[in-house]
Amino acid sequence: MEERPFSDISFEHFLNEEKLMGSKCQKCGALYAPPRPICIKCYGSEMAWVELKGKGKLAAFTSIAVGPPAMVAEGYDRKNPYISGVVELEEGVRVDARIAGIDGTKPEAIKIGTPLTVEFLHRGEGEDLKTILTFKPR
Ligand SMILES: [Zn+2]
């Protein structure tokens, strides 16, 4: 079984492997993604990894015109904003993610509740590999 700590770093390593993983409290069943080592509902510390299906719906979003340098380097700016959102997964947890496949210049066309599916956007390679958790309409 997985021996990785229930941390953001493990969450990111799993993203590099194209796995969306959360932690599930073995005492009360609460689910967390990114994972938590301690349950905030029952304070239980027995967690187990669960792989999430990566399907959900858009719960909230923001159109970002002035992003961090990494996003500017990818060509996002005032004329080409990107969408950052909160996705409610079928498993009932909410994750922050980038939303792709939606025109950032027309946020009024974006509907809360849009069905989404996960996409793993890889940047860099080897030691520098980073994966951006992204969702796109399905
Ligand atoms: Zn719990």
Side-chain angles (χ1 to χ4, degrees), residues 103-118:
D103 187 350
T105 61
K106 298 192 189 73
E108 67 279 2
I110 305 165
K111 300 262 188 303
I112 294 295
T114 300
L116 301 169
T117 190
V118 72

Side-chain angles (χ1 to χ4, degrees), residues 24-32 38-47:
K24 187 173 189 175
C25 174
Q26 298 301 284
K27 202 166 151 195
C28 76
L31 190 59
Y32 301 97
I38 304 282
C39 180
I40 55 168
K41 288 189 178 145
C42 75
Y43 305 104
S45 58
E46 285 217 16
M47 288 283 177

